[in-house]
């Protein structure tokens, strides 16, 4: 359970850390290596505007450094993570949603 007085950035970081701890306990070597690679891309969550199809935008939280093509963001309205592609207009949601590690590992 998360502490009540955590900031939204700290809550997001705690969600990610729980995923990573669980992944590192897995017997699946590929899953553990994916978690290690994801940990290296993590950044302190920061609020960004994400573009969705139909011209809709939403304030979300970037949780990973982009690699020039993709980045993982947290969507607070939905309560889960998304994989976004980088575009000339900023991050664009591509419909890959779920746990942070699952989004990251889908690339």
């Amino acid at each position: 359970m998360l502490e009540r007085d955590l900031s939204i950035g700290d809550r997001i970081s705690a969600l990610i850390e729980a995923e990573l701890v669980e992944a590192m306990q897995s017997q699946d070597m590929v899953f553990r290596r994916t978690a290690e690679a994801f940990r290296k891309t993590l950044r302190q969550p920061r609020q960004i505007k994400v573009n969705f199809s139909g011209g809709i935008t939403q304030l979300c939280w970037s949780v990973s450094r982009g690699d020039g093509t993709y980045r993982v963001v947290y969507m607070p309205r939905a309560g889960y993570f998304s994989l976004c592609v980088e575009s000339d207009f900023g991050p664009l949601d591509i419909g890959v949603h779920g746990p942070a590690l699952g989004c990251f590992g889908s690339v």
Side-chain angles (χ1 to χ4, degrees), residues 64-79:
S64 70
R65 289 184 301 280
D67 65 0
T69 305
Y70 298 100
R71 80 165 82 179
V72 178
V73 302
Y74 180 74
M75 300 188 322
R77 287 186 179 174

Side-chain angles (χ1 to χ4, degrees), residues 25-79:
Q25 295 172 356
S26 172
Q27 297 299 314
D28 183 338
M29 181 63 77
V30 173
F31 191 45
R32 289 198 321 256
R33 286 186 179 162
T34 301
E36 290 168 1
F38 182 48
R39 186 178 294 280
K40 291 177 184 176
T41 71
L42 290 177
R43 63 175 310 146
Q44 186 65 28
R46 68 179 175 92
Q47 203 169 39
I48 60 167
K49 183 171 65 172
V50 173
N51 299 292
F52 294 82
S53 61
I56 298 169
T57 62
Q58 187 179 121
L59 288 177
C60 298
W61 292 79
S62 177
V63 301
S64 70
R65 289 184 301 280
D67 65 0
T69 305
Y70 298 100
R71 80 165 82 179
V72 178
V73 302
Y74 180 74
M75 300 188 322
R77 287 186 179 174

Side-chain angles (χ1 to χ4, degrees), residues 85-101:
V85 66
E86 302 291 349
S87 76
D88 290 341
F89 307 104
L92 174 64
D93 176 81
I94 58 173
V96 177
H97 302 139
L101 193 51

